[in-house]
């Protein structure tokens, strides 16, 4: 494939799936720590590498190595298990026709992780930010990509290392049928980012002290790299594939691969790489695919729409995150109503102001004279009706979220209550155990 702007735009127009074939996928990051919250590294006994080695004994997984280091597992159905920079383990699930199938895949993975931890000095936690360990105490995973990121990103944001080594999230992936359908779904999901950040806020502690934020993970992203976070200006309300490609072309590159080596790109744009080359090399399709993984907006469009705005939460709430957006995106009535809700939200200050309020106060935040819990009540009603319309057999999957909306409590409130009652590291880790 020759890499040029026109071809890249045409490539996006070739994506999309007919409505009857729409699927849903989930991505679930989890961290493994000691019972007192201290980190567990890649190399140590029963550490992160050992976890992958044990999972690789299931021959349905194909191991992936970088040099001598096992760094990922892959299945033929599209599922992957990968490592984040601080050793967080992510299941990127296969696409599924139902939330029940997605839940089964997630629970098989969860049960395997918990079984591997039995009898060992380790705990899997579900939190948006590791609550006890200082970030500098967390070892790096030995990947060439991360060697470059740990040099580049701290130049762009003072909390970049916290994002890389300390945070975990839940994400969901959805189909679109064509450019117009994609634009409507981007409009909704990007506009809802402050509200969903509040709903799933689950990172109030750092080094066992309150941060002043219900979602410190969300706040961290605002201080990581403005070139590749947030969402491109103007695209929330007027998305086109052409404008998205231009955003990607002008996003500074962090790295590229030459042979088996990861090479720093020193912030040159992909447009420069495409038009002028770098060191006599011009991009391949693999370079383009890699570059797309190096931007981290609230919503990322590739072959599917990736919705990225939630702290890591327990397994029931993680599934509810997927259920929320399934109901909103796969029912046209719910999508229309959701976009109207976004328009009302957008009358209340700037997106950045709403997002920061959500990070700080969670569902207690006041936006336009209403708490975000009140706004979330409208959202929950729409999503539940949408889920009943598109996947009626899965409507119970959203129930944990509806219960939280009715209570007006973000998951962070539970962590803070546990900390206030007993701030010992062991109690805090028990409160966020996965």
């Amino acid at each position: 494939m020759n890499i040029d702007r026109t071809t890249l735009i045409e490539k996006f127009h070739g994506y999309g799936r007919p409505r009857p074939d729409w699927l849903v996928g989930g991505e679930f990051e989890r961290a493994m720590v000691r019972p007192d919250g201290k980190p567990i590294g890649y190399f140590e006994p029963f550490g992160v590498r050992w976890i992958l080695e044990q999972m690789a004994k299931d021959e349905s997984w194909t191991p992936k190595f970088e040099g001598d280091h096992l760094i990922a597992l892959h299945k033929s159905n599209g599922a992957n298990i990968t490592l984040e920079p601080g050793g967080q383990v992510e299941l990127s699930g296969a696409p599924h026709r139902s939330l029940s199938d997605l839940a089964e895949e997630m629970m098989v993975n969860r049960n395997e992780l918990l079984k591997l931890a039995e009898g060992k000095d380790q705990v899997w936690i579900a939190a948006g930010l590791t609550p006890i360990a200082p970030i500098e105490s967390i070892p790096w995973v030995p990947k060439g990509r991360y060697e470059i990121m740990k040099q580049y990103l701290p130049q762009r944001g003072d909390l970049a290392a916290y994002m890389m080594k300390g945070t975990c999230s839940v994400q969901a992936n959805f189909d679109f049928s064509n450019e117009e359908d994609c634009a409507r779904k981007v409009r909704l999901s990007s506009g809802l980012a402050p509200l969903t950040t509040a709903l799933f806020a689950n990172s109030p502690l750092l080094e066992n002290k309150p941060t002043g934020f219900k979602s410190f993970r969300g706040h961290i992203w605002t201080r990581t790299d403005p070139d590749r976070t947030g969402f491109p200006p103007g695209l929330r309300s007027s998305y086109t594939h052409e404008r998205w490609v231009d955003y990607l072309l002008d996003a500074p590159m962090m790295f590229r691969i030459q042979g088996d080596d990861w090479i720093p790109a020193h912030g040159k744009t992909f447009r420069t790489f495409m038009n002028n080359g770098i060191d006599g090399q011009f991009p391949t399709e693999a370079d383009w695919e890699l570059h797309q993984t190096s931007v981290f907006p609230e919503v990322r469009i590739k072959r599917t729409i990736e919705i990225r705005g939630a702290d890591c939460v327990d397994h029931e709430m993680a599934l509810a995150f997927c259920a929320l957006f399934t109901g909103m995106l796969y029912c046209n009535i719910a999508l229309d109503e959701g976009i109207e809700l976004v328009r009302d939200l957008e009358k209340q200050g700037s997106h950045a102001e709403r997002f920061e309020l959500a990070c700080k106060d969670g569902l207690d935040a006041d936006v336009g004279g209403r708490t975000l819990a009140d706004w979330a009540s409208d959202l929950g009603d729409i999503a539940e009706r949408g889920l009943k319309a598109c996947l009626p057999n899965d409507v119970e999957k959203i129930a944990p979220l509806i219960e939280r909306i009715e209570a007006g409590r973000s998951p962070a409130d539970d962590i803070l209550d546990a900390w206030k009652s007993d701030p010992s590291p062991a109690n805090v880790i028990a409160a966020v155990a996965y």
Side-chain angles (χ1 to χ4, degrees):
M1 172 182 173
N2 293 322
I3 298 292
D4 61 62
R5 180 176 178 274
T6 299
T7 303
L8 295 177
I9 295 169
E10 290 174 351
K11 188 178 180 71
F12 272 87
H13 280 286
Y15 297 153
R17 187 189 298 267
R19 182 182 179 87
D21 298 329
W22 284 348
L23 305 173
V24 57
E27 301 181 26
F28 311 100
E29 298 173 354
R30 287 72 42 100
M32 182 173 63
V33 300
R34 301 295 179 201
D36 62 1
K38 292 179 181 178
I40 298 176
Y42 178 86
F43 291 103
E44 59 191 276
F46 305 115
V48 174
R49 176 174 61 182
W50 179 83
I51 293 293
L52 290 188
E53 289 172 346
Q54 300 310 300
M55 299 183 79
K57 291 179 180 179
D58 177 348
E59 294 184 355
S60 66
W61 290 110
T62 300
K64 180 179 179 181
F65 290 85
E66 192 168 297
D68 294 330
H69 304 310
L70 176 59
I71 59 167
L73 305 172
H74 174 73
K75 276 188 177 179
S76 59
N77 65 2
N80 294 280
I81 293 175
T82 55
L83 301 178
E84 295 299 306
Q88 308 96 313
V89 177
E90 178 179 6
L91 168 67
S92 298
H96 297 285
R97 292 194 174 276
S98 73
L99 292 169
S100 295
D101 291 342
L102 185 154
E104 181 179 359
E105 177 188 46
M106 179 187 69
M107 290 303 294
V108 167
N109 177 256
R110 174 177 179 263
N111 291 338
E112 184 171 8
L113 293 178
L114 295 179
K115 185 175 181 179
L116 289 172
E118 287 179 359
K120 301 177 185 65
D121 189 32
Q122 56 186 223
V123 181
W124 290 98
I125 60 171
L129 177 67
T130 188
I132 308 296
I135 294 302
E136 58 271 16
S137 72
I138 301 174
W140 288 89
V141 163
K143 292 177 64 172
R145 174 188 179 109
Y146 299 153
E147 283 295 320
I148 294 171
M149 287 174 64
K150 75 179 181 182
Q151 300 298 324
Y152 179 85
L153 285 178
Q155 301 176 52
R156 304 291 300 136
D158 63 332
L159 295 183
Y162 291 73
M163 179 280 288
M164 289 184 281
K165 293 203 294 176
T167 63
C168 288
S169 70
V170 58
Q171 303 169 23
N173 305 310
F174 297 94
D175 284 315
F176 55 89
S177 56
N178 52 37
E179 183 181 45
E180 180 183 1
D181 184 48
C182 182
R184 280 162 44 80
K185 290 172 176 172
V186 167
R187 177 80 172 104
L188 174 75
S189 50
S190 65
L192 285 178
L195 190 49
T196 53
T197 294
L199 277 168
F200 296 90
N202 197 36
S203 50
L205 301 179
L206 176 63
E207 297 186 32
N208 206 23
K209 296 177 182 178
T211 61
F213 290 83
K214 298 288 182 70
S215 177
F216 197 60
R217 184 203 64 88
H219 177 68
I220 285 168
W221 275 106
T222 69
R223 292 165 58 179
T224 291
D225 183 353
D227 289 328
R228 64 190 74 247
T229 59
F231 200 74
L235 264 69
R236 292 186 198 279
S237 57
S238 55
Y239 173 90
T240 64
H241 292 328
E242 180 178 11
R243 297 187 71 185
W244 179 254
V245 167
D246 281 333
Y247 158 70
L248 293 172
L249 288 175
D250 292 327
M253 298 167 58
M254 284 193 284
F255 39 63
R256 58 193 181 91
I257 298 177
Q258 189 169 311
D260 294 328
D261 297 324
W262 289 82
I263 308 296
H266 304 295
K268 292 184 179 179
T269 68
F270 199 91
R271 194 185 298 273
T272 296
F273 190 17
M274 183 177 68
N275 292 337
N276 303 326
I278 298 176
D279 297 331
Q281 301 292 318
F282 286 82
T284 65
E285 185 173 355
D287 291 311
W288 174 246
E289 295 294 329
L290 176 65
H291 176 57
Q292 291 179 80
T293 70
S294 72
V295 297
F296 316 119
E298 296 159 351
V299 178
R300 185 164 64 185
I301 301 88
K302 294 195 286 188
R303 290 171 178 81
T304 59
I305 298 172
E306 301 177 1
I307 301 175
R308 305 167 47 83
D311 286 1
C312 172
V313 284
D314 68 35
H315 58 287
E316 290 184 340
M317 279 291 285
L319 186 61
F321 178 80
C322 300
L324 168 68
F325 280 100
T326 301
M328 297 297 296
L329 298 181
Y330 284 180
C331 169
N332 279 331
I333 294 174
L335 183 55
D336 287 339
E337 292 178 355
I339 290 173
E340 285 303 312
L341 178 65
V342 165
R343 291 189 177 120
D344 289 340
L345 264 174
E346 289 177 343
K347 296 173 184 176
Q348 319 302 326
S350 70
H351 182 88
E353 291 169 339
R354 293 190 300 275
F355 188 80
E356 191 71 357
L357 283 170
C359 292
K360 186 175 185 297
D361 296 328
L363 291 177
D364 292 329
D366 185 303
V367 174
R370 300 175 68 190
T371 65
L372 283 181
D374 194 16
W375 288 97
S377 180
D378 296 341
L379 177 65
D381 288 344
I382 296 169
E384 192 170 27
R385 292 197 305 271
L387 199 55
K388 287 178 180 177
C390 66
L391 285 176
N393 293 333
D394 284 334
V395 72
E396 77 279 0
K397 300 298 190 298
I398 203 172
L401 178 61
I402 300 300
E403 291 174 7
R404 283 211 167 268
I405 291 172
E406 292 173 350
R409 289 177 62 85
S410 305
D413 294 312
D414 296 346
I415 298 177
L416 289 170
D417 284 352
W419 181 85
K420 289 172 185 175
S421 67
D422 177 2
S424 68
N427 185 59
V428 171
I429 293 302
V432 298
Y434 183 59

